[in-house]
Amino acid sequence: MSPPFTSSSEPPCRSSITSIFKPSWHSSTTHASKDEVGWGGFNQIYLVFRYPPRSVKLHTLLHIKKPLKMARRQVGHAGLPLMNIVRMKGVPILQQLEIEECLLRTSSDNWCIINDGADKPSIVMGVSGKPAGLVEIRPVLEDKIPVIRRFTGGGTVIVDHGTIFVSFICNKNDVADVQPYPRPIMSWSGLLYSQVFQGIADFRLRENDYVIGLRKFGGNAQSITKNRWIHHTSFLWDYETRNMSYLKIPERAPDYRLGRDHLDFICPMKDYLSRSDFISKTIDATRSHFSVKSTEFETVRLPSNPKFTPTSRLLTNQELEPAGKTSI
Amino acid sequence: MASRIWASKAASYLKISTFNRGFASVVKDLKYAESHEWVKVSGNSATIGITDHAQDHLGDVVYVELPEIGTAVTQGSGFGAVESVKATSDINSPVSGKVVEVNEELTSSPGLVNGSPYENGWIIKVEISDTNEVSSLMDSEQYSKFCEEEDNH
């Protein structure tokens, strides 16, 4: 199965980033709604990407209140480090992962990527995931569900249009009170999302999962380099119950799962707050740690590294089929 | 008191130092990088792994991504990764050179990195290209102090 985007002669990372950031102004008749744009406050830029599922053309809607030139190590209000927030909608998860890994490895800035829904159902495994133990191979092959191995650790999720992705890519020195190890980073993110759900739901971080009560509603994973880290989450705002049947109960599961099958183990966030409220509250919570700064993307020069190749990839049928034969 | 004396003599015999608080060991004859890898140098050969401090902070290692034999490594740059607690963490080489051997045992037993970080949990062996680089690494005392400062930060 070929990837959903065209390649170019440019290095893959740069190609992915520049093709998405290529500006194309909406006409006034197709102006995005406030809900999509998210006018959360003054002096902020949200770059909103709409990715039509069957088109390789990417349209961007850029609202700039006060474009500012970006310095290498940015400090904003009250000395807080700067965080660039990028909002996307319907971008394929593989492309999102490639963007994230490129930013992690080649940028020196802080980024918060928010992708409001994937374009189609896809299974996403962690770096060491083995298909035979994690997915029901026969129906996955029959229904042509993409299976992606991502560059971060952690378990397996199935994502679709009901999933909201939030990713934080940070310089460790800009979050200096958090040691660059898995558990401290996880605790930091747990505190951030506690602010989001305060007064709304019984949110907590439980055995490295985001839960409401005893039910998981967000899967998270991380990758840590020498000086930077990414913490990314797929939040189940809603999901198709039939899609969960593509996943097996994993061998490595948290204790609190108590052997429950998927539908008894997870819950949708939609019962607690709307998509737009979740996204705006997440951005608000981010302001506690960072200064959210407007950015003019034409002036952003991502570190050029022609040798960088993203490692997240789509597994081929040939890689899945032996697992399917073994499991029969 | 007697057990402390015994522990101190055992530590001295094994060339192991312990922190004042009694956790995260270092080995005296090794050299250490700020990114928490150790290297044992013998002529132009180096054996590399991650320290007890690193494995303790990372948690249970469930997967080790190993480089291929023949891969070039550069001091301070990543050559592989470990997975623990839903995170991949880069492993960086303390020296430059070429990978001549990898610890295949880690594929079936990644927990060796936790249980025996300085011995059975070694990760790669390298033919060093510039032995002068070793002088820029920390000795065990310097590394112990570095870890203490990092944890107290």
Side-chain angles (χ1 to χ4, degrees):
Chain A
M1 199 179 293
S2 59
F5 57 91
T6 55
S7 61
S8 74
S9 58
E10 291 179 292
C13 168
R14 182 171 284 279
S15 170
S16 297
I17 298 292
T18 54
S19 64
I20 283 189
F21 290 165
K22 189 170 141 185
S24 171
W25 295 92
H26 275 291
S27 69
S28 57
T29 56
T30 57
H31 186 81
S33 69
K34 268 195 177 181
D35 185 59
E36 289 173 314
V37 172
W39 292 99
F42 187 70
N43 204 30
Q44 292 171 358
I45 272 196
Y46 299 121
L47 198 66
V48 179
F49 302 99
R50 185 184 298 283
Y51 189 92
R54 294 185 183 177
S55 169
V56 296
K57 279 190 181 177
L58 299 173
H59 299 277
T60 62
L61 177 64
L62 187 67
H63 288 254
I64 303 175
K65 278 198 162 180
K66 207 176 199 180
L68 294 168
K69 204 168 180 179
M70 197 148 99
R72 184 153 281 277
R73 292 297 293 272
Q74 302 173 59
V75 177
H77 298 297
L80 290 175
L82 291 177
M83 174 65 76
N84 303 288
I85 293 195
V86 178
R87 285 186 67 175
M88 310 189 286
K89 191 174 179 70
V91 170
I93 182 57
L94 179 58
Q95 193 148 17
Q96 177 189 333
L97 289 169
E98 291 177 346
I99 291 168
E100 290 179 356
E101 192 179 5
C102 187
L103 290 173
L104 173 69
R105 295 273 176 196
T106 68
S107 170
S108 57
D109 299 317
N110 301 309
W111 300 87
C112 175
I113 311 290
I114 300 175
N115 187 13
D116 190 2
D119 63 327
K120 61 182 176 185
S122 300
I123 292 170
V124 188
M125 299 191 309
V127 69
S128 62
K130 292 181 174 48
L134 297 169
V135 302
E136 299 290 354
I137 300 293
R138 280 277 149 246
V140 163
L141 286 172
E142 283 166 9
D143 297 345
K144 296 182 170 53
I145 305 295
V147 180
I148 293 162
R149 180 174 281 131
R150 65 178 185 266
F151 67 99
T152 52
T156 305
V157 294
I158 182 158
V159 301
D160 58 26
H161 61 275
T163 312
I164 302 177
F165 304 90
V166 181
S167 308
F168 290 97
I169 303 167
C170 298
N171 293 310
K172 69 174 187 182
N173 291 340
D174 287 337
V175 200
D177 54 346
V178 177
Q179 281 202 322
Y181 293 106
R183 286 171 292 207
I185 296 169
M186 198 87 71
S187 295
W188 173 85
S189 73
L191 286 175
L192 187 146
Y193 287 114
S194 292
Q195 286 180 255
V196 175
F197 292 97
Q198 194 171 21
I200 295 171
D202 179 24
F203 166 87
R204 61 192 68 197
L205 178 64
R206 184 168 190 148
E207 293 182 65
N208 306 311
D209 286 343
Y210 295 141
V211 300
I212 293 175
L214 279 174
R215 290 188 178 232
K216 178 176 176 177
F217 74 102
N220 56 64
Q222 299 169 148
S223 185
I224 304 167
T225 68
K226 202 155 77 168
N227 298 309
R228 287 165 66 75
W229 48 260
I230 177 172
H231 174 96
H232 62 187
T233 309
S234 55
F235 287 98
L236 296 171
W237 186 81
D238 195 7
Y239 50 84
E240 304 273 354
T241 53
R242 61 194 166 106
N243 285 346
M244 295 302 153
S245 62
Y246 292 118
L247 303 181
K248 290 183 175 177
I249 296 179
E251 200 179 294
R252 269 195 330 251
D255 292 340
Y256 80 96
R257 181 163 186 157
L258 301 171
R260 288 175 283 167
D261 69 21
H262 293 290
L263 296 179
D264 287 331
F265 178 52
I266 59 176
C267 69
M269 200 202 304
K270 68 175 184 180
D271 295 343
Y272 298 93
L273 73 173
S274 70
R275 296 178 90 120
S276 56
D277 280 351
F278 169 69
I279 290 171
S280 62
K281 284 178 180 295
T282 298
I283 294 170
D284 284 345
T286 304
R287 289 200 199 97
S288 304
H289 306 270
F290 301 94
S291 176
V292 174
K293 199 83 173 169
S294 58
T295 307
E296 195 172 327
F297 277 96
E298 288 81 6
T299 65
V300 173
R301 286 193 298 144
L302 293 168
S304 169
N305 189 342
K307 289 183 183 174
F308 176 77
T309 304
T311 58
S312 298
R313 63 183 188 85
L314 200 59
L315 297 188
T316 63
N317 285 359
Q318 287 73 24
E319 289 173 293
L320 294 173
E321 275 167 0
K325 285 175 186 167
T326 308
S327 66
I328 291 173
Chain B
M1 181 67 180
S3 63
R4 274 196 205 168
I5 294 170
W6 178 88
S8 174
K9 283 187 176 175
S12 177
Y13 175 75
L14 293 169
K15 296 184 183 176
I16 294 174
S17 301
T18 55
F19 293 107
N20 290 337
R21 283 174 290 178
F23 54 83
S25 62
V26 294
V27 174
K28 277 190 179 158
D29 294 338
L30 304 181
K31 290 289 203 177
Y32 299 86
E34 288 187 0
S35 47
H36 301 287
E37 292 86 11
W38 59 263
V39 59
K40 181 177 181 178
V41 178
S42 175
N44 280 353
S45 296
T47 305
I48 293 165
I50 66 169
T51 65
D52 188 32
H53 178 275
Q55 70 79 21
D56 182 54
H57 281 65
L58 286 170
D60 290 344
V61 173
V62 297
Y63 174 72
V64 181
E65 188 178 276
L66 296 166
E68 289 189 3
I69 290 172
T71 301
V73 295
T74 306
Q75 187 180 46
S77 293
F79 65 80
V82 293
E83 184 187 356
S84 63
V85 196
K86 300 188 174 189
T88 57
S89 299
D90 281 0
I91 314 169
N92 302 290
S93 185
V95 293
S96 303
K98 186 175 71 172
V99 177
V100 296
E101 193 177 343
V102 300
N103 187 353
E104 302 279 5
E105 286 293 315
L106 298 179
T107 302
S108 54
S109 304
L112 288 171
V113 171
N114 298 113
S116 182
Y118 297 114
E119 296 193 13
N120 298 331
W122 66 273
I123 301 174
I124 61 170
K125 293 188 179 177
V126 165
E127 183 183 289
I128 302 176
S129 57
D130 182 1
T131 50
N132 291 328
E133 286 180 341
V134 179
S135 60
S136 66
L137 301 172
M138 292 180 276
D139 63 26
S140 58
E141 246 180 79
Q142 291 166 327
Y143 179 66
S144 297
K145 195 173 175 197
F146 174 79
C147 290
E148 209 170 311
E149 285 169 3
E150 193 178 82
D151 281 343
N152 286 338
H153 180 66

